[in-house]
Amino acid sequence: MANLLWLEGSACSGNTMAFLTADQPDVIDLLTQYGVKLCWHPSLSLEMGDSVKKILRDFIDGHEPLDILVIEGAIAQGPNGTGKYDVFCERPFKDWVADLSKVARFVIAAGDCSCFGGIPAADPNPTDATGLQFHRKDKGGFLGANYRSASGLPVINVSGCPAHPDWITQTIIGALTRPQDLLLDEYHRPLDLYSTTTHQGCTRNEYFEYKIAAETLGCKEGCLSVNFGCQGHYTHSSCNRILWNRQSSKTRAGVPCFGCTEPDFPTFNYFKTEKVGMIPKKSPLGVPTLPYIAAAAVSKLAAPERLKGKMIKGRE
């Protein structure tokens, strides 16, 4: 059995809620079919007080091996570096993380807050919150740029607000069963999950191609990047390849991608697209701006009539 410990710092428990809806594999299969023992979780376990401290101490003192340490939430370092804005089991939470990360075989950050600081680290950041190994885009964070777990890997970042539930369970299994295949990008995200953009697999791609705008949130027709600030074409995620609950994604449901898997999340100007004339100002990932604007303008002129108006004519 592989011992898994889940701790939560400055967070809303959104990644726990996501984790519980995992489907491929689900949490029950993770615990029963893949040999994972959930030693403690702040929302799922019955132990409290001294019992929790004993579990943590047994790992730190080497009485029990700690195979997977999952951290949800940012690390509060304030005030003045004491960490006392977030006290857990009579110690600053950051001190527990510092000790446990030294003995863990793998450390996984679940969600944007533990990966990059997320919302708690947004300005003015009163708790001096940060991510485990990044502060926004800057490498370092709480554990430092050179941190490596006992496996030799850095913190494995499963970003998102919340992280996709299947990404969490699949990353845990990948770390335990095939760590040599766990390739990470520059922000330590698994390439299997973050090498493409949200745009790939979006059902609105033909509307994007001709710059036909969605007229309202929640509608089935039109591209959400033309007017509603969708960031899907420059956000690394597999949200439209690995659907949520095998059913849908934000863009499929008519809500723009907010770019929540990226280290600079949260940004600003949600639901609004900056434009040059009638064309979105920001080009897709890797596309030069001027050729993109020129191509987009031509495409808009060539937009076919069948894509204008309702998908099913007669239901206007």
Side-chain angles (χ1 to χ4, degrees), residues 139-302:
K139 204 165 185 177
F142 174 65
L143 293 176
N146 296 321
Y147 169 78
R148 295 292 183 273
S149 65
S151 68
L153 288 172
V155 174
I156 302 166
N157 286 330
V158 186
S159 61
C161 187
H164 190 300
D166 291 349
W167 301 348
I168 299 174
T169 54
Q170 289 175 15
T171 300
I172 291 171
I173 292 171
L176 290 173
T177 59
R178 299 181 65 85
Q180 70 278 11
D181 293 338
L182 201 55
L183 303 179
L184 307 178
D185 70 8
E186 62 179 319
Y187 295 114
H188 298 180
R189 300 172 294 193
L191 282 170
D192 284 333
L193 303 171
Y194 295 91
S195 61
T196 58
T197 65
T198 311
H199 187 62
Q200 194 169 100
C202 179
T203 54
R204 299 170 186 271
N205 279 354
E206 195 173 21
Y207 295 105
F208 174 84
E209 184 179 348
Y210 292 107
K211 296 294 172 286
I212 296 175
E215 295 182 356
T216 60
L217 296 173
C219 68
K220 294 181 179 178
E221 302 85 1
C223 177
L224 294 155
S225 73
V226 179
N227 288 327
F228 291 120
C230 183
Q231 301 182 33
H233 50 290
Y234 42 84
T235 295
H236 292 87
S237 91
S238 47
C239 283
N240 275 310
R241 291 191 295 114
I242 304 174
L243 300 180
W244 291 65
N245 301 320
R246 295 192 194 183
Q247 296 293 320
S248 192
S249 68
K250 289 179 72 177
T251 59
R252 292 182 185 216
V255 178
C257 168
F258 292 155
C260 72
T261 59
E262 294 298 321
D264 55 355
F265 176 82
T267 52
F268 57 92
N269 279 349
Y270 295 122
F271 303 108
K272 183 180 179 182
T273 301
E274 293 185 67
K275 296 183 182 180
V276 175
M278 299 294 290
I279 305 301
K281 183 177 180 181
K282 194 167 182 178
S283 59
L285 193 67
V287 178
T289 301
L290 289 179
Y292 165 70
I293 291 175
V298 172
S299 294
K300 188 172 179 61
L301 290 174

Side-chain angles (χ1 to χ4, degrees), residues 6-20 41-43 71-75 86 93 110-115 117-121 129 160-163 168 244 260 265:
W6 184 303
L7 297 181
E8 181 175 338
S10 301
C12 65
S13 302
N15 292 284
T16 287
M17 296 299 291
F19 175 64
L20 292 175
H41 185 293
S43 300
I71 300 293
E72 173 181 10
I75 309 300
D86 184 4
F93 180 74
D112 221 59
C113 297
S114 54
C115 294
I119 292 174
C161 187
I168 299 174
W244 291 65
C260 72
F265 176 82

Side-chain angles (χ1 to χ4, degrees), residues 106-133:
F106 299 98
V107 177
I108 295 176
D112 221 59
C113 297
S114 54
C115 294
F116 310 121
I119 292 174
D123 290 337
N125 193 3
T127 62
D128 193 16
T130 191
L132 281 175
Q133 209 167 8

